[in-house]
Amino acid sequence: MPLAQTAIFCADIGGSFIDFALIGPDGHIGMRQKCRTPTRDLDAFTKILMTLTDHQPHIPLHIALPGLRDPQKGICTTANIPCVNGIDLAKILGERLNRNVKIGNDADCFTLAETLHGAARGHRNVLGIILGTGVGGGLVLGGELVIGAGGLTGEWGHAPFIPSIPGTEDKIPCFPCGCGQRGCIDTIGGARGLERLHAWSCKETADSRTILTAWHAGDEKACQTLAIYLHYLSSALALAVNITGATILPAGGGLANDEKMLAALDAAVREKILRPTENPLIVASQLGNAAGLIGAAAL
Ligand SMILES: [Zn+2]
């Protein structure tokens, strides 16, 4: 399936770097380059995109943003890039760059890309999951990306999933979340969450890579942390699979590079869902760090 009728400039914007490329209708990635993200200066942010695109005035620009874009109001919400938080970035960039600009959530772009050209090809219902610094997600239903009210669809990592029972706070890892609630999967699900969980569970400070390496080696403390981690993540994902009918969950982000962890998570989810299946549900991303760019082209 072609991504678009024409080539599209795509920018996958992260809190540290902008990954930029020209994506052809066949998914070919050209002119790829990386530059630092100006996070606090909208003029500098705009200028970089202007410089990257100004030799080709008629090509649209599609952006994968680490945050939300309200589909009704156009307002973007992103914690990592304060200079574009609370504004209609597509409108502002469209006027300044004098071209069509579309913006999508980066997890949505990831899910779309993996559905069209990656690990979820051939599936109609896909829940893309990001296990990065934090967790994120996007949902394709019937082959179409679901944006939903507020642009929040697919965010399986938020809601007070880990129970907060009065008087038992020290027995359950019920941490405060950036969304304002307590006990969200996001508080333990990404790399920072795994580290927080390990510090809570084993009174030991270690980075996520060290924890996973120790788990691979059968370290008792790391096994204790991973048991809690896999229990909560698989429970939330099993619920998400039952609700959405997703038949595959392509996984991206740094933690998803750990094959053993993904396989353990997949096995745990398949034990908990209602529909028995022999096929893996959680699979590693096939497009890797190009998924954001390819998905942005398809917006
Ligand atoms: Zn939350």
Side-chain angles (χ1 to χ4, degrees):
M1 187 193 295
L3 287 166
Q5 298 302 315
T6 59
I8 310 265
F9 282 131
C10 294
D12 186 3
I13 312 241
S16 304
F17 293 99
I18 295 174
D19 190 1
F20 179 87
L22 182 68
I23 310 283
D26 57 353
H28 176 263
I29 299 172
M31 296 173 55
R32 193 162 182 188
Q33 50 193 303
K34 218 171 185 187
C35 45
R36 282 221 159 264
T37 309
T39 56
R40 300 189 173 273
D41 181 345
L42 182 60
D43 284 333
F45 182 90
T46 309
K47 202 168 176 185
I48 280 192
L49 292 172
M50 204 179 271
T51 308
L52 288 165
T53 57
D54 69 356
H55 54 289
Q56 297 271 16
H58 304 298
I59 297 181
L61 171 65
H62 291 186
I63 290 175
L65 193 72
L68 304 169
R69 180 183 172 276
D70 186 307
Q72 274 80 41
K73 298 173 186 153
I75 301 299
C76 295
T77 307
T78 169
N80 296 345
I81 309 159
C83 70
V84 305
N85 188 47
I87 60 173
D88 187 343
L89 183 63
K91 183 164 177 265
I92 290 170
L93 286 178
E95 286 166 4
R96 294 198 191 170
L97 273 59
N98 194 28
R99 71 184 70 232
N100 267 327
V101 176
K102 280 188 186 172
I103 294 175
N105 166 261
D106 55 359
D108 286 355
C109 291
F110 168 84
T111 306
L112 200 48
E114 291 293 336
T115 303
L116 294 173
H117 288 274
R121 252 174 313 178
H123 290 261
R124 303 278 296 159
N125 297 343
V126 179
L127 179 66
I129 60 174
I130 305 295
L131 305 171
T133 309
V135 309
L139 182 66
V140 164
L141 282 184
E144 298 282 336
L145 180 68
V146 183
I147 304 286
L152 287 155
T153 301
E155 292 298 336
W156 61 281
H158 294 277
F161 199 81
I162 302 163
S164 170
I165 302 166
T168 63
E169 307 262 328
D170 61 337
K171 296 192 180 67
I172 298 168
C174 190
F175 304 112
C177 183
C179 76
Q181 306 186 85
R182 291 179 73 90
C184 293
I185 292 296
D186 191 52
T187 64
I188 62 162
R192 296 299 86 77
L194 180 62
E195 291 156 6
R196 187 182 293 123
L197 181 63
H198 189 68
W200 173 87
S201 146
C202 300
K203 313 288 175 265
E204 191 176 88
T205 306
D207 65 35
S208 59
R209 202 168 292 188
T210 305
I211 297 165
L212 286 170
T213 304
W215 176 60
H216 289 193
D219 174 82
E220 196 180 324
K221 285 184 171 178
C223 287
Q224 184 180 317
T225 299
L226 262 292
I228 303 170
Y229 180 85
L230 291 168
H231 167 74
Y232 280 118
L233 263 75
S234 63
S235 300
L237 288 170
L239 181 60
V241 168
N242 285 343
I243 291 170
T244 60
T247 52
I248 194 160
L249 287 73
L255 293 183
N257 292 327
D258 190 307
E259 284 176 29
K260 184 182 170 188
M261 198 279 284
L262 270 200
L265 186 58
D266 174 59
V269 171
R270 283 194 282 140
E271 269 177 27
K272 291 176 179 174
I273 58 171
L274 291 172
R275 180 181 73 94
T277 174
E278 293 301 312
N279 298 325
L281 278 175
I282 299 178
V283 296
S285 152
Q286 273 180 11
L287 301 171
N289 61 14
L293 289 170
I294 292 171
L299 282 172

